[in-house]
Amino acid sequence: MNAALLVILFFLGLCIWLGLQARKGKEMNMEQWSVGGRGFGSLLMFFLLAGEMFTTYTFLGASGGAYRSGMPPALYAFNCFYFVIAYWLLPPVWKYAKENKVLSQSDFYEKKYNSQALGILVAIISVVAVIPYLVMQLKGLGIIVSEASYGSISPHMAIVVAVIAVTIYVTVSGMHGAAWTAIIKDILILAVMVFMGFYFPFHYYGGIGPMFEAIDTAKTGFLLFPEQGLSISWFVSATIMTALAFYMFPHMMAGIFSAKSGKSLRINAGIMPIYQVIIVFSLIIGFSGVLQVPDLNGPDTDLALFKMAKLSFDPWFVGVIGAAGAMAALIPSSLVLTAVSTILSKNIYKAWKPNTTDQELAKLAKRFVPVIALVTLFFTFNGGESILTLYLMSYSFMVQLFPALFFSLWKRNPVTVQGAFAGMIVGSIIVIYSTITEMSLATLFPSFPNVIKDLDLGLAVLIINIAVTLGVSVVTKKSAARVDDDTTISNLV
Amino acid sequence: MKKVVFLLTLIPALGSLFVINRVEPYVLGLPFVLFWAICWVGLTSMFLIIANKLDPANKEEEEL
């Protein structure tokens, strides 16, 4: 037991305690549990959505990416395109959700398209997409805690303890727990990141400018986008893909639904970019490691931040960093768990047994929490993928839900239920196939120019998805018009 | 007007990097491409807040 470990345990305890406190004075019905009673104002929303943004990916992935490949992943980590999408997309989604008492992201599709089957398909795709996301968080957490404890806790042990902790407070407090712990976590991460972001360059290089100049001299081109591979066309396409997928995640949708008004979402979209500044510090930390701890390879590059911290600080402060990192994994995981359990009970179980009461559903949703946690544990211990692979896999799945949502917000929705089905299924199948076979546009079309080869596959699949969605819709719309009179079409699907 | 502000927010995501992909000159110690991206973090925020001020949807909600 060392100082670092004690600090981490203290913060873990604080998280659980806060999570348990958050439920006081509230009757935990389904709406309170899954979307916080839809009463979160701008400020709490800000912390909540930010809590979902800053995950282990930001903490380890951004610094590790900068360390490993220089500028391209660094800039990718703090693109603001999310919020531009958020500004326009979220208020209408929120409005519809409020008017129609929508609780989960699959509800949204189910009600918009008036098709329970579509709701179920969306639910299944989300659950599948969310598993790699959770696995990514847990893997990151395992690395963080085991590093911060100087190896006295194995990653597996850390993951198991974290899963138990998160299961407890999600079960008890749902969305409320996450919102309040998110605030603590954000303050801690901000303090730690800003401090290290200034300390490392000044301590080791005599300033931020001298640091970048030293890197540029030592590794020419490291601070630029290369001609191929992680080129500008990769950057643009991956940026668009992740931004479109970002708000499709069930936990992001649940976050949106817990807003008080469309205006609080718009303000939120406006102030969120400022939050991205934290990532700049994460990048500087990563860059500072390039010449100081140059021997990390492969997946170990994600450890750049911790190697630097351990090189420079006392164990207790490494513990504080570890605690911040652990929370960066715990909060998003708890939000994801809440959202997925809601979906499983409300959209899948209820479809199977329609006369389940809301109280039973609320209980059931809580029982799904440990089940999903266990499934995730299984995959965490049995899969060998890197954090970035998991991240892109999860996003490529999620983005397949975008076309049906986007078109459904039009005044006259050009997409039919069949179209939405076809698009999602075709998109998801291609994503699964390409993930298994490690296909990319470069392996498919080796002779194409780099501008095309480097495009993100998720975005390419999205375009196919849109084409299929619209194509099938045009065909089915004609036949739907023919049988419109006896309205059998809505009964058929 | 709202649309103009919106289009401005697309500059950093779409294509400006083809021109900006350079290390020199350093601004505040940051390579230019990094400085440019950080600038857009602030500018995106500003443009979205302006767009929000101009947005007629806010008035509609208050009336509801």
Side-chain angles (χ1 to χ4, degrees), chain A residues 208-217 223 284 287, chain B residues 26 29-31 34:
Chain A
I208 293 172
M211 177 182 87
F212 281 115
E213 277 163 29
I215 294 172
D216 195 42
T217 320
L223 300 175
I284 291 179
F287 280 122
Chain B
Y26 287 88
L30 302 168
L34 184 58

Side-chain angles (χ1 to χ4, degrees), chain A residues 393 396-397 400 426-436 458 461:
Chain A
M393 195 157 92
S396 309
F397 266 118
Q400 304 311 326
V426 169
S428 302
I429 288 173
I430 302 179
V431 172
I432 294 174
Y433 179 77
S434 63
T435 313
I436 294 171
V461 180

Side-chain angles (χ1 to χ4, degrees), chain A residues 159-480:
Chain A
I159 290 167
V160 171
V161 172
V163 164
I164 294 170
V166 91
T167 306
I168 294 171
Y169 90 70
V170 166
T171 313
V172 175
S173 292
M175 196 70 159
H176 284 285
W180 287 104
T181 38
I183 294 178
I184 299 276
K185 164 207 149 214
D186 287 351
I187 294 169
L188 195 61
I189 290 188
L190 182 71
V192 164
M193 291 303 226
V194 172
F195 174 71
M196 289 195 293
F198 280 112
Y199 182 82
F200 291 149
F202 279 93
H203 185 75
Y204 290 105
Y205 301 88
I208 293 172
M211 177 182 87
F212 281 115
E213 277 163 29
I215 294 172
D216 195 42
T217 320
K219 291 185 152 191
T220 314
F222 194 66
L223 300 175
L224 288 175
F225 282 88
E227 290 289 313
Q228 57 174 27
L230 298 175
S231 64
I232 294 174
S233 81
W234 168 80
F235 175 80
V236 171
S237 59
T239 297
I240 296 174
M241 192 278 279
T242 34
L244 295 182
F246 192 61
Y247 290 99
M248 297 301 114
F249 275 96
H251 63 293
M252 290 309 286
M253 286 270 199
I256 296 158
F257 299 157
S258 50
K260 218 184 260 173
S261 65
K263 193 181 170 189
S264 80
L265 285 168
R266 273 191 294 267
I267 294 177
N268 191 61
I271 49 182
M272 284 288 272
I274 299 170
Y275 224 78
Q276 296 283 79
V277 172
I278 297 183
I279 302 177
V280 177
F281 292 103
S282 175
L283 302 177
I284 291 179
I285 295 166
F287 280 122
S288 75
V290 171
L291 301 178
Q292 288 303 319
V293 282
D295 309 324
L296 302 176
N297 288 310
D300 283 348
T301 47
D302 284 339
L303 296 177
L305 184 149
F306 271 99
K307 290 285 181 238
M308 284 301 286
K310 285 161 103 173
L311 192 70
S312 320
F313 302 126
D314 283 345
W316 71 267
F317 192 72
V318 174
V320 175
I321 301 167
M327 283 199 219
L330 282 179
I331 314 293
S333 306
S334 72
L335 291 163
V336 169
L337 274 175
T338 310
V340 177
S341 319
T342 306
I343 286 178
L344 278 176
S345 84
K346 236 195 141 261
N347 299 87
I348 297 185
Y349 187 82
K350 195 165 185 188
W352 180 43
K353 289 197 170 164
N355 42 13
T356 321
T357 67
D358 278 359
Q359 275 161 336
E360 281 172 323
L361 280 184
K363 259 189 213 153
L364 195 68
K366 290 174 193 177
R367 287 204 193 114
F368 276 124
V369 174
V371 177
I372 303 160
L374 280 176
V375 172
T376 311
L377 262 188
F378 174 79
F379 282 107
T380 310
F381 290 158
N382 287 291
E385 294 83 5
S386 78
I387 287 182
L388 185 69
T389 317
L390 292 165
Y391 181 85
L392 286 175
M393 195 157 92
S394 187
Y395 274 75
S396 309
F397 266 118
M398 269 348 276
V399 82
Q400 304 311 326
L401 302 182
F402 180 79
L405 178 120
F406 176 71
F407 289 117
S408 81
L409 295 174
W410 288 20
K411 279 212 176 82
R412 290 173 61 97
N413 184 358
V415 171
T416 61
V417 184
Q418 294 90 336
F421 255 102
M424 282 179 200
I425 290 175
V426 169
S428 302
I429 288 173
I430 302 179
V431 172
I432 294 174
Y433 179 77
S434 63
T435 313
I436 294 171
T437 58
E438 293 181 2
M439 179 175 81
S440 75
L441 289 182
T443 60
L444 279 181
F445 309 106
S447 59
F448 277 32
N450 287 328
V451 179
I452 297 178
K453 276 200 305 199
D454 296 338
L455 285 178
D456 182 77
L457 190 74
L459 191 70
V461 180
L462 177 68
I463 292 166
I464 300 175
N465 178 337
I466 293 175
V468 171
T469 305
L470 290 177
V472 173
S473 295
V474 169
V475 176
T476 49
K477 198 150 248 179
K478 278 189 193 135
S479 54

Side-chain angles (χ1 to χ4, degrees), chain A residues 80 273, chain B residues 8-12 16 35-45 47:
Chain A
C80 287
Chain B
L8 285 173
T9 59
L10 296 179
I11 296 172
S16 70
F35 171 75
W36 171 259
I38 294 171
C39 267
W40 274 101
V41 174
L43 288 173
T44 305
S45 177
F47 287 138

